């Protein structure tokens, strides 16, 4: 049985994707939205499958019904506040590989944005 982990966390996320996409589509007099391109940071705890699950329900009857969601994951990049070393953490260990400091700045990896949409217009 291929069960999908569903958490409530993704519902408001899916709703905001829909809202942003519909607003952009209406501004361009779109007939329908065919594709939506999303950028999601690796540290953002968002499960693609869950968004897709909600998406099919909440987009029904809107311009975005049947639109394909494309997920692009932005790799985590951290900056050590003690030795100024920029790095990509390996696994769950976010500490600085050079000096071992846990005082880090998250430079990249928490993004969540609608990057672009593709529409069919009249
Ligand atoms: Zn360091």
């Amino acid at each position: 049985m291929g069960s999908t982990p569903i958490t409530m966390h993704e519902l408001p996320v899916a709703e905001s994707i829909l809202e942003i996409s519909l607003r952009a589509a209406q501004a361009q007099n779109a007939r329908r939205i065919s594709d939506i391109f999303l950028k999601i940071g690796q540290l953002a705890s968002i499960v693609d499958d869950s968004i897709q699950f909600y998406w099919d329900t909440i987009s029904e009857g809107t311009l975005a019904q049947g639109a394909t969601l494309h997920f692009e994951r932005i790799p985590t990049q951290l900056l050590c506040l003690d030795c100024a070393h920029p790095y990509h953490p390996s696994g769950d260990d976010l500490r600085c590989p050079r000096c071992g400091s846990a005082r880090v700045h998250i430079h990249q990896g928490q993004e969540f944005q609608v990057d672009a949409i593709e529409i069919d217009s009249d």
Side-chain angles (χ1 to χ4, degrees), residues 36-39 72 113-117:
I36 297 172
F37 297 88
L38 304 163
K39 281 190 173 168
E72 184 189 339
Q113 63 186 76
V114 177
D115 192 43
I117 64 170

Side-chain angles (χ1 to χ4, degrees), residues 79-85 87 96-101 103-104:
L79 181 70
C80 177
L81 293 177
D82 284 322
C83 74
H85 179 53
Y87 61 98
C96 174
R98 185 190 273 176
C99 74
S101 170
R103 296 199 323 127
V104 297

Side-chain angles (χ1 to χ4, degrees), residues 17-38:
I17 294 170
L18 182 64
E19 198 185 310
I20 292 166
S21 303
L22 289 178
R23 207 180 303 144
Q26 279 156 4
Q28 299 175 65
N29 294 318
R31 262 187 306 126
R32 63 177 288 267
I33 300 172
S34 59
D35 296 89
I36 297 172
F37 297 88
L38 304 163

